[in-house]
Amino acid sequence: MELTEKETHTLEEETIEAKEEDVNTSVEAEVEEIQVEASPEEVLKQEVAELNNRLLRVQADYDNFRRRSREEKEAAAKYRSQTVIEALLPVIDNFERALLVKPEAEEAKSLLQGMEMVYRQFQESLKNEGIEVIETVGQTFDPHLHQAVMQVEEEGFESNQIVEELQKGYKLKDRVLRPAMVKVNA
């Protein structure tokens, strides 16, 4: 009886698989014999190796924990003043509006000068904490930094360029506290 090429190929594969199973079975039997014949010293060496491996893993986990904790503390210190500054933003806005008033009386002018000095000192303190005013007029609109409230068509400005600032925006280091409210050229 003649076999086709396909049948011959299938028969060869089955023979190879049977041989592999026999080899695997004999290897497993030899490994079991070696394990049974292992001396107490070899068993102790294996246990020491396993314990060393576990120790290395625990040390690596601990190092990772220390690194994560340090990074979290640094981030907390970097942004520690965020909630206080966010609460002060409306105060800053009102302060700036008050400074826009043009006094006529001499007393009011000296009062305004005092307010300007306090305002400069306040701005310097904010700058020392890492607060920055977000640049707006003339800049290209960035949705991460700016909030477009109006869109106008004005000559002298490119498309998507900020025409006017309606409310200042602030950043604390690299984090936006409040986006700037702006008019954008269409």
Side-chain angles (χ1 to χ4, degrees):
M1 175 173 160
E2 250 181 71
L3 297 174
T4 64
E5 188 177 321
K6 185 176 182 181
E7 290 173 334
T8 307
H9 184 66
T10 305
L11 186 59
E12 287 174 358
E13 285 180 355
E14 289 174 358
T15 306
I16 291 172
E17 287 175 7
K19 287 181 182 178
E20 286 177 354
E21 286 178 15
D22 290 342
V23 169
N24 287 340
T25 305
S26 64
V27 167
E28 289 173 5
E30 288 178 23
V31 168
E32 287 177 13
E33 284 180 29
I34 292 172
Q35 287 178 349
V36 170
E37 295 175 10
S39 68
E41 289 177 5
E42 291 174 357
V43 171
L44 289 176
K45 285 181 182 177
Q46 185 178 2
E47 286 180 15
V48 167
E50 288 175 12
L51 289 175
N52 280 336
N53 188 18
R54 285 178 52 197
L55 175 66
L56 291 174
R57 289 179 188 273
V58 169
Q59 283 178 332
D61 287 343
Y62 182 67
D63 289 342
N64 289 337
F65 170 75
R66 284 193 352 224
R67 180 185 48 81
R68 279 193 310 270
S69 297
R70 181 177 27 87
E71 288 171 357
E72 289 171 0
K73 284 180 184 178
E74 288 171 358
K78 186 176 182 181
Y79 302 113
R80 72 183 181 283
S81 58
Q82 180 174 348
T83 54
V84 172
I85 293 170
E86 285 175 341
L88 289 175
L89 291 180
V91 175
I92 296 169
D93 293 338
N94 290 331
F95 212 126
E96 290 172 347
R97 284 187 205 104
L99 292 174
L100 292 175
V101 173
K102 299 295 179 201
E104 294 178 14
E106 195 62 38
E107 286 180 11
K109 288 181 182 178
S110 64
L111 180 63
L112 183 62
Q113 283 180 331
M115 285 180 58
E116 287 172 347
M117 290 184 343
V118 171
Y119 178 73
R120 281 193 298 274
Q121 185 179 15
F122 189 51
Q123 291 291 9
E124 189 63 33
S125 297
L126 291 175
K127 185 178 177 184
N128 291 339
E129 280 296 316
I131 301 300
E132 301 172 31
V133 175
I134 297 174
E135 297 293 322
T136 55
V137 177
Q139 301 291 318
T140 303
F141 176 76
D142 180 356
H144 300 290
L145 301 175
H146 309 113
Q147 179 180 356
V149 179
M150 297 175 68
Q151 194 169 28
V152 295
E153 290 189 27
E154 291 204 17
E155 292 183 24
F157 291 96
E158 296 177 16
S159 178
N160 210 26
Q161 192 173 21
I162 297 173
V163 175
E164 183 181 344
E165 177 182 75
L166 302 174
Q167 185 181 42
K168 283 187 177 180
Y170 294 93
K171 289 183 357 179
L172 174 60
K173 300 192 174 35
D174 57 348
R175 186 180 288 178
V176 175
L177 294 178
R178 179 175 77 186
M181 291 174 56
V182 295
K183 280 186 190 179
V184 179
N185 198 32

